[in-house]
Amino acid sequence: MSKRFSRITGTGSYLPPRRVTNADLAAELATRGIETSDEWIVERTGIRARHFAAPDVPASELAVPAARAALQAAGLQPSDIDLIIVATSTPDMVFPSTAAIVQHKLGMAGCPVFDVQAVCSGFVYALTVADALIANGTARRALVIGAEVFSRILDWSDRTTCVLFGDGAGAVVLEASDTPGILATDLHADGKYVDILCVPGHVSGGQVLGDPVLKMDGQAVFKLAVGVLDKAARAVLAKAGKQESDIDWLIPHQANLRIMMGTAKKLHLPVDKVIVTVQDHGNTSAASIPLALDHGVRSGKIQPGQTLLLEGVGGGFTWGAVLLNL
Ligand code: UT7
């Protein structure tokens, strides 16, 4: 039997309507006695604005319109889908999975659904799992979604983190194909770095114990990120027998413009080969890569047949890359 590959056949994304610029956020934080500025945020991160979901809007509400847009782009109906994976660290509930909630909201039933929790590497992890489940015949048409409401887990008294994140969702339809599609994947984690990026709180005995807000040692994350992203990029290129020069577009996790440009430089890629949305979205964790991918596709930059390098890095510490032909 010939090997089964997987291929992205549609992309979609959704941002909640409330857009908050750095100036808006600085003014809001000033009322709480927290000092920050547009200049600092732009210079250190490249972020100029982010979107925040209304307090009663959970991750699944962002995931569903992103999924519908991806389905429409692929020319499919929800009933054509036989697997849903949602990458999220801000699920609607402790359980069941946000994927189960999304399945029901899409009017579907029966197919396997689950969440993947790998923080900002979540989409790359989810895409790798979906690719494997298509290759082994478990599924033929998967929805792979990254959806986050990080605004819920921010400490608004900590200016070193609360200016960095936003809410949103991105999705792809991944279909079985006789030709790749996904060329190579590479995933890693090192749990000794749990403390440098975490939300340490948990539910116990009917109460939240520990701190339920994001803690980050930004400099430690920054240093690790640049090194591991380069290794993951080289690993997928080697697995696929490709060169740096074969990459048409680098679509990195959108956390910090300096990390993205550092990664591109190490790969000898010109900056205009990097899809950058961090200025408009902030860091949307597992949603950032599919949001950037959809933006690149819908803006006409990314063309069918091109070779894309997707790279994620984040809490865990987790990291990974996917090399694919669109
Ligand atoms: O999504 C998972 C992956 N996450 C990341 O990739 C994040 C990686 N890390 C980063 O992006 C950067 O480390 C940050 C953007 C978080 C911080 O940038 P930095 O250049 O490492 O700044 P820093 O932490 O060294 O802080 C420099 C200064 C400090 O003041 P002093 O001690 O030099 O007087 C901070 O107190 O900037 C100050 N500062 C701020 N000032 C204004 C920190 N946050 C702010 C702020 N506004 N929001």
Side-chain angles (χ1 to χ4, degrees):
M1 207 178 76
S2 64
K3 184 166 163 35
R4 227 158 67 135
F5 299 100
S6 75
R7 180 178 286 275
I8 291 176
T9 56
T11 68
S13 61
Y14 179 77
L15 290 164
R18 186 175 163 230
R19 182 173 182 270
V20 177
T21 65
N22 290 345
D24 297 335
L25 191 58
E28 161 71 22
L29 291 173
T31 66
R32 302 171 189 233
I34 309 294
E35 198 187 320
T36 188
S37 65
D38 177 53
E39 292 72 25
W40 190 93
I41 301 169
V42 172
E43 187 193 312
R44 300 293 172 131
T45 70
I47 297 167
R48 293 179 184 274
R50 74 287 292 141
H51 290 245
F52 289 140
D56 59 343
V57 171
S60 65
E61 284 291 302
L62 310 184
V64 167
R68 287 200 192 282
L71 285 166
Q72 191 176 34
L76 297 177
Q77 300 297 319
S79 55
D80 296 319
I81 294 298
D82 58 10
L83 169 70
I84 301 176
I85 306 179
V86 175
T88 187
S89 298
T90 48
D92 291 21
M93 300 181 187
V94 172
F95 73 79
S97 67
T98 302
I101 298 165
V102 168
Q103 182 195 41
H104 183 60
K105 286 183 175 175
L106 286 171
M108 302 163 57
C111 73
V113 302
F114 58 92
D115 288 359
V116 162
Q117 214 275 44
V119 203
C120 303
S121 309
F123 186 75
V124 163
Y125 266 66
L127 200 56
T128 301
V129 173
D131 173 57
L133 291 177
I134 286 176
N136 79 8
T138 300
R140 284 197 62 81
R141 287 174 173 153
L143 260 176
V144 185
I145 305 168
E148 301 281 15
V149 282
F150 256 55
S151 58
R152 305 292 152 71
I153 53 166
L154 297 178
D155 176 354
W156 297 104
S157 67
D158 176 9
R159 68 176 182 173
T160 69
T161 54
C162 72
V163 301
L164 303 175
F165 295 89
D167 303 337
V172 301
V173 172
L174 193 70
E175 292 194 58
S177 164
D178 293 334
T179 55
I182 291 188
L183 300 168
T185 63
D186 188 60
L187 299 181
H188 298 276
D190 188 343
K192 78 168 165 284
Y193 296 110
V194 163
D195 293 340
I196 66 170
L197 179 47
C198 61
V199 177
H202 61 280
V203 177
S204 175
Q207 291 183 319
V208 175
L209 298 187
D211 221 343
V213 289
L214 186 146
K215 310 276 175 203
M216 179 168 75
D217 176 345
Q219 289 194 358
V221 172
F222 195 110
K223 277 184 207 138
L224 272 170
V226 178
V228 298
L229 288 174
D230 189 54
K231 277 193 197 143
R234 290 184 193 291
V236 283
L237 286 170
K239 285 181 191 177
K242 299 274 187 187
Q243 314 293 321
E244 293 165 347
S245 55
D246 293 320
I247 300 168
D248 292 305
W249 293 104
L250 173 63
I251 309 178
H253 169 49
Q254 310 280 314
N256 186 312
L257 193 57
R258 289 184 290 150
I259 297 177
M260 289 189 263
M261 291 308 148
T263 308
K265 195 172 171 190
K266 284 187 171 212
L267 289 169
H268 306 103
L269 289 178
V271 294
D272 59 4
K273 285 198 167 193
V274 187
I275 300 288
V276 179
T277 53
V278 72
Q279 72 281 8
D280 295 320
H281 302 167
N283 181 346
T284 58
S285 193
S288 91
I289 293 172
L291 264 163
L293 171 61
D294 187 50
H295 180 82
V297 168
R298 285 174 196 265
S299 67
K301 282 185 176 176
I302 300 174
Q303 294 293 320
Q306 288 189 320
T307 300
L308 316 183
L309 175 61
L310 278 46
E311 288 202 284
V313 62
F317 205 67
T318 55
W319 66 98
V322 174
L323 189 72
L324 62 91
N325 283 340
L326 198 64

